[in-house]
PDB file of all heavy atoms in Angstrom:
ATOM      1  N   ALA A1104      22.953  61.680 -13.781  1.00 90.00           N
ATOM      2  CA  ALA A1104      24.337  62.137 -13.662  1.00 90.00           C
ATOM      3  C   ALA A1104      25.304  60.963 -13.648  1.00 90.00           C
ATOM      4  O   ALA A1104      24.924  59.818 -13.399  1.00 90.00           O
ATOM      5  CB  ALA A1104      24.495  62.959 -12.385  1.00 90.00           C
ATOM      6  N   GLY A1105      26.566  61.260 -13.930  1.00 79.00           N
ATOM      7  CA  GLY A1105      27.597  60.232 -13.883  1.00 79.00           C
ATOM      8  C   GLY A1105      28.186  59.963 -15.249  1.00 79.00           C
ATOM      9  O   GLY A1105      27.656  60.389 -16.285  1.00 79.00           O
ATOM     10  N   ASP A1106      29.286  59.237 -15.248  1.00 76.00           N
ATOM     11  CA  ASP A1106      29.974  58.910 -16.490  1.00 76.00           C
ATOM     12  C   ASP A1106      29.384  57.658 -17.125  1.00 76.00           C
ATOM     13  O   ASP A1106      28.619  56.923 -16.516  1.00 76.00           O
ATOM     14  CB  ASP A1106      31.466  58.682 -16.206  1.00 76.00           C
ATOM     15  CG  ASP A1106      32.121  59.906 -15.573  1.00 76.00           C
ATOM     16  OD1 ASP A1106      31.692  61.027 -15.921  1.00 76.00           O
ATOM     17  OD2 ASP A1106      33.032  59.734 -14.740  1.00 76.00           O
ATOM     18  N   GLY A1107      29.771  57.413 -18.373  1.00 77.00           N
ATOM     19  CA  GLY A1107      29.399  56.174 -19.044  1.00 77.00           C
ATOM     20  C   GLY A1107      28.090  56.209 -19.793  1.00 77.00           C
ATOM     21  O   GLY A1107      27.542  55.167 -20.148  1.00 77.00           O
ATOM     22  N   GLY A1108      27.545  57.392 -20.046  1.00 82.00           N
ATOM     23  CA  GLY A1108      26.299  57.469 -20.796  1.00 82.00           C
ATOM     24  C   GLY A1108      25.087  57.286 -19.905  1.00 82.00           C
ATOM     25  O   GLY A1108      25.194  56.973 -18.724  1.00 82.00           O
ATOM     26  N   PRO A1109      23.885  57.491 -20.457  1.00 91.00           N
ATOM     27  CA  PRO A1109      22.666  57.393 -19.659  1.00 91.00           C
ATOM     28  C   PRO A1109      22.443  55.964 -19.155  1.00 91.00           C
ATOM     29  O   PRO A1109      22.736  54.995 -19.861  1.00 91.00           O
ATOM     30  CB  PRO A1109      21.564  57.819 -20.639  1.00 91.00           C
ATOM     31  CG  PRO A1109      22.131  57.567 -21.988  1.00 91.00           C
ATOM     32  CD  PRO A1109      23.608  57.815 -21.871  1.00 91.00           C
ATOM     33  N   PRO A1110      21.935  55.811 -17.931  1.00 96.00           N
ATOM     34  CA  PRO A1110      21.674  54.472 -17.398  1.00 96.00           C
ATOM     35  C   PRO A1110      20.547  53.778 -18.162  1.00 96.00           C
ATOM     36  O   PRO A1110      19.600  54.427 -18.606  1.00 96.00           O
ATOM     37  CB  PRO A1110      21.282  54.745 -15.952  1.00 96.00           C
ATOM     38  CG  PRO A1110      20.759  56.141 -15.957  1.00 96.00           C
ATOM     39  CD  PRO A1110      21.557  56.873 -16.984  1.00 96.00           C
ATOM     40  N   ALA A1111      20.659  52.463 -18.289  1.00 96.00           N
ATOM     41  CA  ALA A1111      19.672  51.698 -19.046  1.00 96.00           C
ATOM     42  C   ALA A1111      18.807  50.812 -18.171  1.00 96.00           C
ATOM     43  O   ALA A1111      17.696  50.454 -18.565  1.00 96.00           O
ATOM     44  CB  ALA A1111      20.376  50.842 -20.105  1.00 96.00           C
ATOM     45  N   ALA A1112      19.307  50.428 -16.991  1.00 97.00           N
ATOM     46  CA  ALA A1112      18.583  49.489 -16.130  1.00 97.00           C
ATOM     47  C   ALA A1112      18.482  50.072 -14.730  1.00 97.00           C
ATOM     48  O   ALA A1112      19.496  50.287 -14.066  1.00 97.00           O
ATOM     49  CB  ALA A1112      19.295  48.141 -16.101  1.00 97.00           C
ATOM     50  N   LEU A1113      17.252  50.340 -14.277  1.00 98.00           N
ATOM     51  CA  LEU A1113      17.009  50.965 -12.980  1.00 98.00           C
ATOM     52  C   LEU A1113      16.274  50.003 -12.061  1.00 98.00           C
ATOM     53  O   LEU A1113      15.369  49.284 -12.497  1.00 98.00           O
ATOM     54  CB  LEU A1113      16.169  52.240 -13.137  1.00 98.00           C
ATOM     55  CG  LEU A1113      16.573  53.235 -14.228  1.00 98.00           C
ATOM     56  CD1 LEU A1113      15.632  54.434 -14.209  1.00 98.00           C
ATOM     57  CD2 LEU A1113      18.014  53.680 -14.055  1.00 98.00           C
ATOM     58  N   LEU A1114      16.641  50.025 -10.799  1.00 98.00           N
ATOM     59  CA  LEU A1114      15.988  49.211  -9.781  1.00 98.00           C
ATOM     60  C   LEU A1114      15.543  50.133  -8.665  1.00 98.00           C
ATOM     61  O   LEU A1114      16.361  50.839  -8.072  1.00 98.00           O
ATOM     62  CB  LEU A1114      16.961  48.156  -9.254  1.00 98.00           C
ATOM     63  CG  LEU A1114      16.463  47.241  -8.133  1.00 98.00           C
ATOM     64  CD1 LEU A1114      15.301  46.383  -8.607  1.00 98.00           C
ATOM     65  CD2 LEU A1114      17.597  46.365  -7.613  1.00 98.00           C
ATOM     66  N   ASP A1115      14.234  50.141  -8.374  1.00 98.00           N
ATOM     67  CA  ASP A1115      13.668  51.012  -7.344  1.00 98.00           C
ATOM     68  C   ASP A1115      13.291  50.152  -6.145  1.00 98.00           C
ATOM     69  O   ASP A1115      12.297  49.421  -6.171  1.00 98.00           O
ATOM     70  CB  ASP A1115      12.441  51.729  -7.914  1.00 98.00           C
ATOM     71  CG  ASP A1115      11.952  52.856  -7.021  1.00 98.00           C
ATOM     72  OD1 ASP A1115      12.508  53.026  -5.928  1.00 98.00           O
ATOM     73  OD2 ASP A1115      11.001  53.550  -7.420  1.00 98.00           O
ATOM     74  N   LEU A1116      14.105  50.220  -5.076  1.00 97.00           N
ATOM     75  CA  LEU A1116      13.888  49.396  -3.889  1.00 97.00           C
ATOM     76  C   LEU A1116      12.905  50.072  -2.940  1.00 97.00           C
ATOM     77  O   LEU A1116      13.079  51.229  -2.576  1.00 97.00           O
ATOM     78  CB  LEU A1116      15.209  49.154  -3.162  1.00 97.00           C
ATOM     79  CG  LEU A1116      16.266  48.337  -3.910  1.00 97.00           C
ATOM     80  CD1 LEU A1116      17.490  48.116  -3.025  1.00 97.00           C
ATOM     81  CD2 LEU A1116      15.698  46.999  -4.358  1.00 97.00           C
ATOM     82  N   GLY A1117      11.880  49.329  -2.545  1.00 95.00           N
ATOM     83  CA  GLY A1117      10.839  49.933  -1.720  1.00 95.00           C
ATOM     84  C   GLY A1117      10.124  51.020  -2.480  1.00 95.00           C
ATOM     85  O   GLY A1117       9.711  52.029  -1.902  1.00 95.00           O
TER      86      GLY A1117
END
Side-chain angles (χ1 to χ4, degrees):
D1106 301 327
L1113 313 181
L1114 178 64
D1115 191 356
L1116 295 183

